[in-house]
Amino acid sequence: MIFDIIRQQVEVLRRPLAAVVLSTLPRRSSPLLLLLHWHGFAVDERQRAPPHDSADPWPRVALPSSVLQLNQAWADLAQIDEQILDAAWQQGAWNLVREEHRGCNVVGASVQEALACRQAFGDNPFDPADETQRAVEAPDREAMRDIAARTGYVRWHFRPVADGLWRGAGQDDSLMPDGRRLPPCPVAPKAAVGTRVSRSSYQLGRMDRIVLP
C-alpha cells in the first residue's frame, strides 16, 4: 500500500524524490503520516514580481514536501515494518532506518528532540508548505504531533534510488538498471523496543564485487 502511494505521487508530480519518511504513534491503528521530500524549486507566486527590466527571474523556493495521512488498521509495528520495508526495497534504498523516540515534553529533553518531533509530523519551520493543503491531506497531523510530544513516536526513513537523487551515489549490486528491485523484500521486520529510545537499521543493498583502493 505505501509503495503504491509513493509511486502514484511520483507519477503525478514528476519530481525526483530526496527522502521518504513515515511516522506514527506507538498505539495500534494510529494513523500513519507519510512525508515525501522532493528535490527541486518552484516559482514563489506569493512574492512580488521583479521589475520588467530586471534580469532576475521570479523568486523561487524549494518544493514543499508532500504530507499524506494513511488510515489503516494495524495491531503491531511489524505490520508497518513490512509495508515500509517493501517500499524501501522496491525503491532501491540502500537501507531503511526505524527510530523509536520518547516524548519531547519530558524533563531533560533537548531542543533538537523537540524539533525532530515536529519535523516527523510535517511541522517543519524550514519548509514553506501550504498549511491549508496539509490540513486537507493530513487532518490529524497536529493532534498526532501533540500526542507524540507527550508519549513518543516511531519514525522510518529511507532515501530512494528509483525516482530519486541517489542513482550515482554509490555501488549497489542488488539494483536493476532503473534503480529498482523486484518484490518480495527478503528482509524480515525486527521486534520493537517499546518505550526506550532506539535506532534499528535494515540493510537492503549489497556489493558483490571487490573494490580496490
Side-chain angles (χ1 to χ4, degrees):
M1 176 182 178
I2 293 175
F3 171 73
D4 294 334
I5 292 172
I6 293 172
R7 291 293 303 137
Q8 290 169 4
Q9 291 295 307
V10 169
E11 291 173 2
V12 170
L13 294 180
R14 299 187 181 278
R15 299 284 188 175
L17 263 175
V20 175
V21 177
L22 184 73
S23 303
T24 192
L25 305 171
R27 301 177 178 180
R28 62 177 58 189
S29 294
S30 292
L32 309 175
L33 207 66
L34 180 65
L35 286 79
L36 304 178
H37 300 296
W38 307 98
H39 175 71
F41 296 89
V43 172
D44 187 357
E45 297 180 351
R46 297 170 300 180
Q47 300 295 326
R48 184 166 56 89
H52 292 295
D53 58 350
S54 173
D56 294 332
W58 278 84
R60 292 181 177 270
V61 294
L63 284 172
S65 302
S66 297
V67 182
L68 306 172
Q69 181 174 320
L70 314 181
N71 298 313
Q72 57 178 278
W74 58 273
D76 190 277
L77 282 176
Q79 295 174 266
I80 311 302
D81 265 12
E82 290 177 353
Q83 287 195 52
I84 194 67
L85 273 168
D86 172 70
W89 174 261
Q90 293 198 59
Q91 289 290 129
W94 177 255
N95 68 341
L96 168 71
V97 174
R98 184 188 72 198
E99 300 170 347
E100 297 173 68
H101 291 267
R102 65 177 181 174
C104 61
N105 288 351
V106 297
V107 176
S110 66
V111 174
Q112 288 77 13
E113 286 181 273
L115 178 60
C117 180
R118 289 179 59 186
Q119 291 177 328
F121 290 90
D123 186 4
N124 188 346
F126 308 109
D127 190 340
D130 184 348
E131 289 298 321
T132 302
Q133 185 64 24
R134 287 188 171 184
V136 172
E137 297 181 340
D140 298 324
R141 180 183 63 82
E142 293 185 356
M144 294 173 66
R145 177 203 61 198
D146 295 343
I147 295 173
R150 297 193 302 270
T151 65
Y153 62 98
V154 185
R155 184 179 83 130
W156 296 260
H157 57 92
F158 67 87
R159 293 178 175 179
V161 174
D163 305 313
L165 301 175
W166 312 106
R167 183 76 61 87
Q171 299 294 328
D172 186 343
D173 295 323
S174 69
L175 299 180
M176 297 188 296
D178 63 355
R180 305 183 190 282
R181 301 187 188 96
L182 295 176
C185 176
V187 180
K190 300 178 181 179
V193 173
T195 56
R196 301 203 312 273
V197 178
S198 73
R199 184 180 188 275
S200 301
S201 181
Y202 295 95
Q203 185 62 46
L204 304 177
R206 72 173 193 273
M207 290 186 65
D208 298 330
R209 72 196 75 179
I210 299 175
V211 179
L212 299 177

CSV table of all heavy atoms in Angstrom, one decimal, residues 133-153:
chain,number,residue,atom,x,y,z
A,133,GLN,N,-3.4,23.2,2.6
A,133,GLN,CA,-3.3,21.9,1.9
A,133,GLN,C,-3.0,20.7,2.8
A,133,GLN,O,-3.5,19.7,2.7
A,133,GLN,CB,-2.3,22.0,0.8
A,133,GLN,CG,-2.3,20.7,-0.1
A,133,GLN,CD,-3.6,20.5,-0.9
A,133,GLN,OE1,-4.3,21.5,-1.1
A,133,GLN,NE2,-3.9,19.3,-1.3
A,134,ARG,N,-2.1,21.0,3.8
A,134,ARG,CA,-1.7,19.9,4.7
A,134,ARG,C,-2.9,19.6,5.6
A,134,ARG,O,-3.1,18.4,6.0
A,134,ARG,CB,-0.5,20.4,5.6
A,134,ARG,CG,0.8,20.4,4.8
A,134,ARG,CD,1.9,20.7,5.7
A,134,ARG,NE,3.2,20.5,5.0
A,134,ARG,CZ,4.4,20.6,5.5
A,134,ARG,NH1,4.5,20.9,6.8
A,134,ARG,NH2,5.5,20.4,4.8
A,135,ALA,N,-3.7,20.5,6.0
A,135,ALA,CA,-4.9,20.3,6.8
A,135,ALA,C,-5.9,19.4,6.1
A,135,ALA,O,-6.6,18.6,6.7
A,135,ALA,CB,-5.5,21.6,7.2
A,136,VAL,N,-5.9,19.5,4.7
A,136,VAL,CA,-6.8,18.6,4.0
A,136,VAL,C,-6.3,17.2,3.8
A,136,VAL,O,-7.0,16.2,4.0
A,136,VAL,CB,-7.1,19.3,2.6
A,136,VAL,CG1,-7.8,18.3,1.7
A,136,VAL,CG2,-7.8,20.6,2.7
A,137,GLU,N,-5.0,17.1,3.5
A,137,GLU,CA,-4.4,15.8,3.2
A,137,GLU,C,-4.0,15.0,4.5
A,137,GLU,O,-3.9,13.8,4.5
A,137,GLU,CB,-3.2,16.0,2.3
A,137,GLU,CG,-3.5,16.6,1.0
A,137,GLU,CD,-2.3,16.7,0.1
A,137,GLU,OE1,-1.2,16.7,0.6
A,137,GLU,OE2,-2.5,16.9,-1.1
A,138,ALA,N,-3.8,15.7,5.6
A,138,ALA,CA,-3.5,15.1,6.9
A,138,ALA,C,-4.2,15.8,8.0
A,138,ALA,O,-3.6,16.5,8.8
A,138,ALA,CB,-2.0,15.2,7.1
A,139,PRO,N,-5.5,15.5,8.1
A,139,PRO,CA,-6.3,16.3,9.1
A,139,PRO,C,-5.9,16.1,10.6
A,139,PRO,O,-6.2,16.9,11.4
A,139,PRO,CB,-7.7,15.8,8.8
A,139,PRO,CG,-7.6,14.5,8.1
A,139,PRO,CD,-6.3,14.6,7.3
A,140,ASP,N,-5.3,14.9,10.9
A,140,ASP,CA,-5.0,14.6,12.3
A,140,ASP,C,-3.5,14.9,12.6
A,140,ASP,O,-3.0,14.5,13.7
A,140,ASP,CB,-5.3,13.2,12.6
A,140,ASP,CG,-6.7,12.8,12.5
A,140,ASP,OD1,-7.6,13.7,12.8
A,140,ASP,OD2,-7.1,11.7,12.0
A,141,ARG,N,-2.8,15.6,11.7
A,141,ARG,CA,-1.4,15.8,11.8
A,141,ARG,C,-1.0,16.5,13.1
A,141,ARG,O,-0.1,16.1,13.9
A,141,ARG,CB,-0.8,16.6,10.6
A,141,ARG,CG,0.6,16.8,10.7
A,141,ARG,CD,1.1,17.7,9.5
A,141,ARG,NE,0.5,19.0,9.5
A,141,ARG,CZ,1.0,20.0,10.2
A,141,ARG,NH1,2.0,19.8,11.0
A,141,ARG,NH2,0.4,21.2,10.2
A,142,GLU,N,-1.7,17.6,13.4
A,142,GLU,CA,-1.3,18.4,14.6
A,142,GLU,C,-1.6,17.7,15.9
A,142,GLU,O,-0.9,17.7,16.8
A,142,GLU,CB,-2.1,19.7,14.6
A,142,GLU,CG,-1.6,20.7,13.4
A,142,GLU,CD,-2.2,22.0,13.5
A,142,GLU,OE1,-3.1,22.2,14.4
A,142,GLU,OE2,-1.9,22.9,12.7
A,143,ALA,N,-2.8,16.9,15.9
A,143,ALA,CA,-3.1,16.2,17.1
A,143,ALA,C,-2.1,15.0,17.3
A,143,ALA,O,-1.6,14.8,18.4
A,143,ALA,CB,-4.5,15.6,17.0
A,144,MET,N,-1.6,14.4,16.2
A,144,MET,CA,-0.6,13.4,16.3
A,144,MET,C,0.7,13.9,16.8
A,144,MET,O,1.4,13.3,17.7
A,144,MET,CB,-0.4,12.7,15.0
A,144,MET,CG,-1.6,11.9,14.4
A,144,MET,SD,-1.3,11.3,12.7
A,144,MET,CE,0.1,10.2,13.0
A,145,ARG,N,1.1,15.1,16.3
A,145,ARG,CA,2.3,15.8,16.8
A,145,ARG,C,2.3,16.1,18.3
A,145,ARG,O,3.2,15.8,19.0
A,145,ARG,CB,2.5,17.1,16.0
A,145,ARG,CG,3.7,17.9,16.5
A,145,ARG,CD,3.5,19.4,16.1
A,145,ARG,NE,2.3,19.9,16.7
A,145,ARG,CZ,1.7,21.0,16.3
A,145,ARG,NH1,2.1,21.7,15.2
A,145,ARG,NH2,0.6,21.5,16.9
A,146,ASP,N,1.1,16.5,18.8
A,146,ASP,CA,1.0,16.9,20.2
A,146,ASP,C,1.0,15.6,21.1
A,146,ASP,O,1.6,15.6,22.2
A,146,ASP,CB,-0.3,17.7,20.4
A,146,ASP,CG,-0.3,19.0,19.7
A,146,ASP,OD1,0.8,19.5,19.4
A,146,ASP,OD2,-1.4,19.6,19.5
A,147,ILE,N,0.4,14.6,20.6
A,147,ILE,CA,0.4,13.3,21.4
A,147,ILE,C,1.8,12.7,21.4
A,147,ILE,O,2.3,12.2,22.4
A,147,ILE,CB,-0.6,12.3,20.8
A,147,ILE,CG1,-2.0,12.8,21.0
A,147,ILE,CG2,-0.5,10.9,21.5
A,147,ILE,CD1,-3.1,12.0,20.3
A,148,ALA,N,2.5,12.8,20.3
A,148,ALA,CA,3.9,12.3,20.2
A,148,ALA,C,4.8,13.0,21.1
A,148,ALA,O,5.7,12.4,21.7
A,148,ALA,CB,4.4,12.4,18.7
A,149,ALA,N,4.6,14.3,21.3
A,149,ALA,CA,5.4,15.1,22.2
A,149,ALA,C,5.2,14.7,23.6
A,149,ALA,O,6.2,14.8,24.4
A,149,ALA,CB,5.0,16.6,22.1
A,150,ARG,N,4.1,14.1,23.9
A,150,ARG,CA,3.8,13.6,25.3
A,150,ARG,C,4.2,12.2,25.5
A,150,ARG,O,4.7,11.8,26.6
A,150,ARG,CB,2.3,13.8,25.7
A,150,ARG,CG,1.9,15.2,25.7
A,150,ARG,CD,0.5,15.4,26.4
A,150,ARG,NE,-0.5,14.5,25.7
A,150,ARG,CZ,-1.3,14.9,24.7
A,150,ARG,NH1,-1.2,16.2,24.2
A,150,ARG,NH2,-2.2,14.1,24.2
A,151,THR,N,3.9,11.3,24.5
A,151,THR,CA,4.1,9.9,24.7
A,151,THR,C,5.2,9.2,23.9
A,151,THR,O,5.5,8.0,24.1
A,151,THR,CB,2.7,9.2,24.4
A,151,THR,OG1,2.4,9.3,23.0
A,151,THR,CG2,1.6,9.8,25.2
A,152,GLY,N,5.7,9.9,22.9
A,152,GLY,CA,6.7,9.3,22.0
A,152,GLY,C,6.1,8.9,20.6
A,152,GLY,O,4.9,9.0,20.4
A,153,TYR,N,7.0,8.5,19.7
A,153,TYR,CA,6.6,8.2,18.4
A,153,TYR,C,7.6,7.3,17.7
A,153,TYR,O,8.7,7.1,18.2
A,153,TYR,CB,6.4,9.5,17.5
A,153,TYR,CG,7.6,10.3,17.4
A,153,TYR,CD1,8.4,10.2,16.2
A,153,TYR,CD2,8.1,11.2,18.4
A,153,TYR,CE1,9.6,10.9,16.0
A,153,TYR,CE2,9.2,11.9,18.2
A,153,TYR,CZ,10.0,11.8,17.0
A,153,TYR,OH,11.1,12.5,16.9
